[in-house]
Amino acid sequence: MTKAKFTKADMDAVSDSPELTAKDIAAARPFAEVFPEMAAKMRSTRGPQKTPTKVSTTIRLSPEVIAHFKAGGAGWQARIDAALKEWVATH
């Protein structure tokens, strides 16, 4: 993947936004105030679990363990959880 290189001329050709003045800045309002519905959609989260099945915690693991599970891509934390469950079941 090559990084695009834009010249000042390129930027000037597509930039039609004037510099903001002190008056413009003083009149600015927060995005959420100007577009409340759009802002609400953007900040929506999953919300609380209906039946929590996991507990949030902090654990320190060796870099090799983290690298191994992250190498498998997305879901690496769930794979660590599954490996620990398997270990608990056999011990």
Side-chain angles (χ1 to χ4, degrees):
M1 181 176 178
T2 60
K3 186 175 179 180
K5 295 180 181 178
F6 300 104
T7 66
K8 179 164 177 14
D10 294 331
M11 295 304 290
D12 290 343
V14 297
S15 178
D16 59 357
S17 298
E19 289 285 328
L20 293 176
T21 65
K23 183 179 175 182
D24 294 329
I25 294 170
R29 295 178 16 222
F31 179 83
E33 184 182 306
V34 179
F35 302 104
E37 298 86 11
M38 193 180 304
K41 286 181 184 177
M42 291 172 69
R43 83 172 82 88
S44 66
T45 59
R46 283 181 51 188
Q49 295 180 18
K50 291 184 176 125
T51 55
T53 58
K54 295 186 178 180
V55 176
S56 178
T57 189
T58 300
I59 184 171
R60 292 180 182 269
L61 301 171
S62 67
E64 297 85 9
V65 169
I66 297 297
H68 170 79
F69 283 95
K70 280 189 171 183
W76 63 273
Q77 292 169 317
R79 288 192 298 278
I80 290 175
D81 184 57
L84 290 171
K85 282 181 185 178
E86 182 180 325
W87 188 89
V88 168
T90 59
H91 289 81

